[in-house]
């Protein structure tokens, strides 16, 4: 009798387990559950992404001996040293339209010294473009397309502050000139500062495939918001190794704001001088060092964080506000500061 009861209980447990397993493996109840896809995000963003073709004329010396450490001294003294020729070089990159009037964000290195710039939309439309502002320090440039009043599709900048490591992102651009391409990945790291890419080494790291030609294209989240501008890759071969870097949208927004209001003008060199705006940024005249574990322990901090002030300029507004050598800056405008690179980034994005 006891054996019979145990057998019945075993059958009940098996039945319950099978039911639970069946619930975990439900048949999809709608086409939407079967066809999960990033296509809606791509359809929203792709029309605003442009391929950028930038041309510039460079002068190159023809004589191969000019670069030789020994023979160069002779040829530079009249023995054919003046022979040179002009060549047209083309740069390939990407960009994203952020306003329907034709305002495009891209990388400064994509359009550096360009005499002619053409932007091509995904539907084949082409527009001549001019550089309105170029910020070499952040590697961000703003272009204005000559649309003759035509309104264009655009994407919106979205703060990257809400991003977390592991979030899914898409990179859109024109790698190797093959045409508009979308790649997917995750946010691998935030506030990556141990690099030497620009003056503001503060990037979003992603494993979404980024290749030459992707520079200037958008990094977008699952709502279609532009959270970064793709700018560089870590690679020994020139191809993607799954380590790409994007400029956070907060830095991009500061350059966009400067293009509209807070920029200074400068003349661009060339046969036809043009006026290009540059970014004016806050200055506090403070130098600092990273807070190490030993420094944190001596100051009674629970962990290494912030920037210890090591030097202050005599005219520093921070000095006038009471900041002293030895003080530790732990936050700026509500954002925690981990190291000098982050402090520099946060100050650079303060509106002027």
């Amino acid at each position: 009798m006891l054996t019979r009861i145990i057998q019945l209980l075993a059958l009940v447990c098996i039945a319950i387990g099978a039911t639970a397993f069946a619930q975990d493996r439900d048949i999809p109840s709608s086409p939407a559950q079967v066809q999960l896809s990033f296509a809606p995000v791509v359809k929203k963003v792709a029309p605003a992404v442009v391929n950028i073709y930038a041309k510039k004329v460079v002068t190159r010396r023809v004589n191969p001996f000019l670069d030789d450490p020994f023979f160069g001294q002779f040829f530079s003294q009249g023995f054919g040293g003046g022979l040179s020729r002009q060549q047209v070089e083309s740069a390939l990159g990407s960009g994203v339209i952020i306003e329907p009037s034709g305002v495009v964000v891209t990388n400064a290195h994509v359009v550096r010294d360009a005499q002619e710039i053409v932007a091509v939309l995904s539907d084949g439309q082409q527009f001549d473009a001019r550089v309105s502002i170029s910020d070499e320090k952040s590697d961000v440039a703003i272009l204005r397309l000559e649309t003759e009043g035509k309104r264009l599709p655009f994407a919106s900048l979205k703060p990257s502050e809400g991003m977390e490591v592991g979030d899914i992102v898409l990179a859109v651009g024109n790698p190797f000139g093959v045409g508009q391409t979308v790649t997917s990945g995750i946010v691998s790291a935030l506030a990556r500062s141990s690099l030497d890419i620009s003056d503001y080494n503060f990037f979003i790291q992603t494993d979404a495939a980024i290749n030459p030609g992707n520079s200037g294209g958008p990094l977008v989240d699952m709502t279609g918001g532009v959270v970064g501008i793709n700018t560089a890759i870590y690679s020994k071969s020139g191809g993607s190794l799954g380590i790409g870097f994007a400029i956070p949208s907060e830095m991009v927004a500061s350059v966009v704001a400067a293009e509209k209001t807070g920029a200074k003008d400068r003349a661009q060199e060339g046969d036809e001088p043009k006026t290009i705006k540059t970014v004016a940024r806050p200055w506090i005249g403070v130098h600092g060092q990273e807070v190490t574990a030993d420094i944190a322990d001596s100051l009674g901090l629970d962990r290494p964080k912030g920037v210890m002030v090591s030097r202050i300029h005599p005219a520093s507004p921070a000095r006038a506000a009471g900041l002293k050598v030895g003080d530790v800056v732990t936050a700026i405008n509500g954002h925690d500061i981990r190291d000098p690179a982050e402090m520099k980034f946060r100050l650079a994005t303060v509106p002027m």
Side-chain angles (χ1 to χ4, degrees):
M1 184 66 178
L2 180 59
T3 303
R4 184 71 173 172
I5 293 174
I6 293 174
Q7 289 175 342
L8 289 174
L9 288 174
L11 289 173
V12 171
C13 290
I14 291 172
I16 293 174
T19 303
F21 182 82
Q23 291 175 345
D24 290 339
R25 303 291 185 179
D26 280 347
I27 297 173
S29 58
S30 68
Q33 291 182 352
V34 177
Q35 299 178 342
L36 293 177
S37 171
F38 298 144
V41 180
V42 175
K43 289 179 181 178
K44 181 178 179 180
V45 176
V49 179
V50 299
N51 300 336
I52 294 177
Y53 301 90
K55 295 181 179 180
K56 63 180 179 180
V57 178
V58 297
T59 302
R60 296 195 180 280
R61 294 181 296 184
V62 177
N63 200 315
F65 292 104
L66 285 171
D67 295 323
D68 187 276
F70 176 75
F71 291 105
Q73 59 183 321
F74 300 107
F75 284 91
S76 63
Q77 297 176 2
F79 297 98
L83 296 177
S84 63
R85 64 184 178 187
Q86 289 187 328
Q87 294 179 330
V88 177
E89 289 189 348
S90 298
L92 179 67
S94 306
V96 58
I97 304 170
I98 60 169
E99 292 184 11
S101 60
V103 178
V104 174
V105 177
T106 187
N107 283 144
H109 74 259
V110 170
V111 295
R112 184 180 295 127
D113 300 325
Q115 274 90 41
E116 180 183 344
I117 304 172
V118 175
V120 182
L121 276 66
S122 59
D123 61 3
Q125 294 185 82
Q126 297 186 19
F127 298 95
D128 291 334
R130 63 177 178 84
V131 179
S132 180
I133 187 169
S134 181
D135 184 39
E136 297 288 341
K137 291 185 176 181
S138 65
D139 197 23
V140 174
I142 306 298
L143 310 181
R144 291 269 179 176
L145 304 187
E146 298 176 5
T147 63
E148 298 181 353
K150 185 175 183 178
R151 293 178 65 83
L152 301 177
F154 67 98
S156 299
L157 294 177
K158 181 179 178 179
S160 67
E161 301 291 350
M163 300 294 293
E164 295 184 2
V165 174
D167 283 350
I168 296 174
V169 287
L170 304 179
V172 190
N174 183 22
F176 299 110
V178 300
Q180 191 176 96
T181 303
V182 181
T183 55
S184 67
I186 63 169
V187 174
S188 305
L190 295 167
R192 184 66 81 197
S193 59
S194 57
L195 306 166
D196 190 19
I197 298 174
S198 69
D199 283 11
Y200 302 105
N201 281 315
F202 197 81
F203 300 95
I204 301 169
Q205 181 181 327
T206 178
D207 68 347
I210 297 174
N211 289 288
N214 272 113
S215 291
L219 186 73
V220 302
D221 66 3
M222 290 298 95
T223 68
V226 178
V227 295
I229 296 296
N230 302 316
T231 189
I233 59 174
Y234 176 83
S235 175
K236 295 181 179 180
S237 63
S240 174
L241 295 179
I243 303 178
F245 303 98
I247 302 166
S249 57
E250 288 78 8
M251 177 63 76
V252 177
S254 71
V255 179
V256 172
E259 193 266 344
K260 295 180 179 179
T261 58
K264 297 179 180 179
D265 294 341
R266 66 176 173 85
Q268 183 187 36
E269 296 180 358
D271 297 333
E272 299 179 4
K274 302 176 183 178
T275 299
I276 295 181
K277 297 177 180 179
T278 55
V279 181
R281 288 194 168 92
W283 176 80
I284 63 170
V286 171
H287 291 269
Q289 67 182 74
E290 186 174 354
V291 176
T292 64
D294 291 338
I295 293 175
D297 186 59
S298 66
L299 295 175
L301 299 175
D302 58 346
R303 58 185 173 84
K305 61 181 178 180
V307 175
M308 174 175 280
V309 177
S310 58
R311 186 157 45 100
I312 303 180
H313 191 279
S316 167
R319 178 190 291 272
L323 196 67
K324 304 182 294 296
V325 172
D327 286 347
V328 176
V329 179
T330 59
I332 294 178
N333 285 347
H335 299 290
D336 291 339
I337 301 299
R338 283 166 286 190
D339 53 38
E342 183 160 8
M343 184 173 79
K344 189 175 183 180
F345 171 82
R346 294 299 178 190
L347 289 172
T349 55
V350 172
M352 289 288 288

